[in-house]
Amino acid sequence: MATILEAFNEARRILSGRPNVQGISYTSDRIIVYAISAEGIPTSILGFPVEIIITGPFRIY
Amino acid sequence: MPVPPELKKKLEQEGIVGVSDPEFGGERVIRVYVETEEDAKRVLMEMPEVKVAGVSVKTEPIVSGRFYALARTEKIRPIVGGISTGNYRITAGTLGLIVRDKTTKKPLILSNNHVLTQVINGIEGEIGDPILQPGPYDGGTENDIVAKLLRFVTIKLPPETNLVDAAVAEIVEGLDFKEFEIMDIGKVTGIAEAREGERVFKSGRTTGLTQSTIFDTRATIKVYGYYSPDSYAIFEDQLISSTPFMAGGDSGSVWVNERKEVVGLGFAGSDRFSCANRIQNVINLLDIEIPTVRVVTMSALPLLALAIIPNIYLMFKKS
């Protein structure tokens, strides 16, 4: 079983090229993905569930 | 939170200029802002407690003098956290907090790189650039120089990543300032790590004093608007609030928790969230300090007395 940090690093790798993904994070038991849409985002990574949070892009204030 | 009607009525009494039911934690008190020391004594004599929704709450008179309209976008002296500022080439952002240089101990303005330099239109500022208060968009001119750009952390584009959007400027000689103080929040008490679910406040140029809660403490996010409107920079180790409690022009305002400890430096947001750099990263990369203020509570007084009395006894014994 992978650790959550390994899953987070894997999430960074596979999601880095996706224009709809705006950010990623993690808790002790899941990966969090901030995205404009859920398109192409897997429901789990290395056995950890992925929570998708729909948001617009982040911009400087 | 709106003040209950029974408290608002107190404003009709002579000498009372404000009432507040603050929510910064600790024992609940009703703050009564008064014009003079005499008014403060009268408040303590005549209404040491007030009834709020049937509950007796102690009052705390504060001598503030009369309040006058003070827009954060106007010229404000002494300078303080929470007001308009900016590099002479930008529009306007927020003066986050007046901090200290860790080495020289000189007072510095803390804000974002994109407020104190000019990273938006393709170039970063130069050391020594004039910093205006208010910012240029709010009418700041060469007559309003309050500081000179001292240090900033360069914003790197992908594949490189960033931890902070932060800069400091050295306050010009002779200018009056309020160190470690934020408009509508007061003196900060130090720094702390943000915790998920805890309440945070910010005081900014555009939206004033607002609050939210911490939603995420270790996000890696793309943030648009650096160098050109459509290019983005990647920030790691970021704080995300549960609501968008900042807006354009609030950049540079610091996030504080209920104990008035600084936890972040606000800089960006989306339609759903606001984002801040972790303050520990800002402090490390800019070589600044925000000292911890020890608050002596009533419960600590007996301990303090126990610590001091033997020394006084020894002092007298020696003499």
Side-chain angles (χ1 to χ4, degrees), chain A:
Chain A
M1 175 86 179
T3 65
I4 188 69
L5 265 179
E6 287 167 337
F8 175 67
N9 287 330
E10 179 67 0
R12 286 184 62 141
R13 194 186 65 76
I14 61 177
L15 298 173
S16 63
R18 295 198 173 276
N20 58 323
V21 173
Q22 302 302 307
I24 53 173
S25 185
Y26 64 97
T27 66
S28 57
D29 60 0
R30 66 188 189 282
I31 300 293
I32 295 170
V33 178
Y34 300 92
I36 295 167
S37 70
E39 189 186 337
I41 301 171
T43 54
S44 74
I45 294 172
L46 297 183
F48 288 93
V50 174
E51 180 186 357
I52 301 168
I53 295 173
I54 302 297
T55 177
F58 295 108
R59 291 194 171 278
I60 52 174
Y61 281 135

Side-chain angles (χ1 to χ4, degrees), chain B residues 99-110 150-153 164 166-169 279-290:
Chain B
V99 298
R100 268 189 221 146
D101 187 299
K102 200 170 178 180
T103 311
T104 66
K105 308 295 178 193
K106 284 185 176 173
L108 307 174
I109 286 173
L110 170 65
L150 181 67
R151 279 194 294 275
F152 58 89
V153 181
V164 300
V168 283
I279 198 65
Q280 195 61 62
N281 288 332
V282 174
I283 282 174
N284 292 345
L285 292 168
L286 284 177
D287 206 27
I288 57 172
E289 62 184 17
I290 300 171

